[in-house]
Amino acid sequence: MSFERLLHETIDEMAGEVHAPGAGLAARSMAKGRRIRRTRRLAVGAAAAVAVAAVAVPWLALPHRDGAAPVVPAASVTASPAATLAWGSGLPGGWVVTKIGDRVLDRATGELVSTSGVVWPAPAGKRVLTVVAPERVRISDVRGTNPVTVDTAGFVGDYSWNAVGDRLVGGISQKEPFKVGFAVIDAGTGEVRRHWIDHDRYDCSECTFTWTRDGGGVTLPIADRSGGEAEERVDHLQYFDATTGEAGSFAQVPAMPSGPFSWSPGGRYVVAGPSVPGASAGWRRFDTTTGQSVPFPGPAVWVTADVLLAVRDGKVLVVTPDGTVTATLDVPGAEPGTAISIGPPG
């Protein structure tokens, strides 16, 4: 899933415990800004994220931006030996649950490690992304080792891990002169490479980039303006080379993938859905060659060409390519509304 969706789910999960403004408001404010002022949508969105974060940060451990605010240390972690995910290897294809609420899987030990703040694990590998300030993130191992800090000024608040967990992509903008594009972050070194696109040609409302399954490119939902600015409809998905930034082909898919495993192993099919964070309705499996689609029970990942997994109401669903749920698996310690992430073996 995209970072904005994870942030939204995390806030929903914590709402029953902490009475504070939801940081998801920042992302929604950004989107609203882009809708209202098309020519300034991304720049205004970034400013709104900072302003709203300053209100919501006390319980998210994000420092205020007045003066030289201290950077929050890497996510504090404590091992929970009693809670392990040995059962996770029983998921189809050897997939495992990588996150349950605020606990993240340490693949080396099989332990769930408690974290604080907004933490997003890579689907594979051992790196996690932690938000430490409105314009700063830290990428480290699960227990906070080997950290790198990335200045995310100009990012629009959405991040997507690639399938192997060594790079992220995020949308970027510049106010003067106005430009839109994407940046690729190396999860090991923190190096950032920016690529600008022709926004007049590749118009986007939700300028959210996600990886293709093979990691060679990223996709961007191109806006359908037939319903007006507020509709935020998607016309199709545009491909860009992740290394050069060059535009490539496109897929006639009028919806947004949630990540690299939204794509089938051969790339013919994709599970995509609405731009509204956390939406459970409106997801479909699209055939990119014919444009035909079928309803789907939510954002899902392709384990094989015949088996998909989806997360819903604190459970993992086993789904066929036609959208049929064949099994529902309980996740120990998860309740309805708990944020859950899953990833491939290794």
Side-chain angles (χ1 to χ4, degrees):
M1 64 182 65
S2 70
F3 180 81
E4 184 175 359
R5 291 188 175 90
L6 173 65
L7 183 59
H8 183 86
E9 291 180 2
T10 302
I11 292 159
D12 287 345
E13 170 195 334
M14 297 174 68
E17 301 176 5
V18 183
H19 300 286
L25 179 60
R28 291 194 294 273
S29 297
M30 290 169 7
K32 182 69 174 178
R34 292 194 295 268
R35 291 195 298 269
I36 295 175
R37 301 184 184 276
R38 180 176 178 183
T39 59
R40 298 175 59 201
R41 66 171 62 90
L42 296 175
V44 173
V50 173
V52 177
V55 176
V57 293
W59 63 283
L60 282 178
L62 303 182
H64 294 285
R65 302 192 63 214
D66 48 343
V71 176
V72 176
S76 59
V77 297
T78 56
S80 178
T84 65
L85 285 179
W87 67 272
S89 60
L91 292 176
W95 278 56
V96 297
V97 175
T98 59
K99 185 177 188 293
I100 303 175
D102 63 355
R103 296 172 296 160
V104 176
L105 175 66
D106 183 341
R107 288 177 179 263
T109 65
E111 294 176 330
L112 285 172
V113 177
S114 295
T115 63
S116 62
V118 179
V119 180
W120 181 29
K126 57 184 179 180
R127 303 293 273 175
V128 300
L129 178 146
T130 304
V131 176
V132 295
E135 294 185 344
R136 189 178 298 120
V137 299
R138 177 171 289 129
I139 305 170
S140 67
D141 296 343
V142 173
R143 298 179 186 272
T145 55
N146 302 314
V148 293
T149 300
V150 181
D151 181 350
T152 55
F155 280 69
V156 297
D158 298 301
Y159 304 90
S160 173
W161 281 104
N162 67 352
V164 298
D166 63 2
R167 289 180 296 167
L168 299 103
V169 66
I172 55 175
S173 70
Q174 177 177 291
K175 184 175 181 180
E176 295 292 343
F178 177 72
K179 293 195 295 185
V180 175
F182 66 93
V184 175
I185 305 172
D186 186 302
T189 66
E191 179 185 10
V192 178
R193 293 189 176 183
R194 291 173 170 81
H195 303 283
W196 302 105
I197 66 174
D198 184 343
H199 187 257
D200 290 333
R201 184 175 180 183
Y202 303 112
D203 181 23
C204 53
S205 290
E206 289 289 332
C207 298
T208 302
F209 293 82
T210 56
W211 292 92
T212 56
R213 190 177 182 112
D214 64 7
V218 297
T219 62
L220 173 68
I222 302 302
D224 172 1
R225 300 295 182 188
S226 61
E229 290 279 340
E231 290 291 327
E232 294 202 13
R233 298 177 183 175
V234 176
D235 182 77
H236 65 274
L237 298 177
Q238 175 66 45
Y239 296 92
F240 294 91
D241 187 285
T243 302
T244 66
E246 293 295 322
S249 59
F250 67 91
Q252 199 60 56
V253 175
M256 298 173 62
S258 60
F261 292 105
S262 298
W263 300 87
S264 64
R268 175 175 176 176
Y269 301 101
V270 62
V271 177
S275 60
V276 179
S280 58
W283 289 84
R284 304 184 70 86
R285 188 228 66 198
F286 293 87
D287 184 326
T288 62
T289 61
T290 66
Q292 296 180 333
S293 65
V294 296
F296 230 70
V301 295
W302 293 77
V303 175
T304 68
D306 302 313
V307 177
L308 298 91
L309 297 175
V311 174
R312 189 174 66 189
D313 297 330
K315 301 179 184 295
V316 176
L317 310 181
V318 182
V319 190
T320 63
D322 66 1
T324 301
V325 177
T326 59
T328 300
L329 309 176
D330 290 328
V331 177
E335 301 292 338
T338 299
I340 297 174
S341 300
I342 57 178

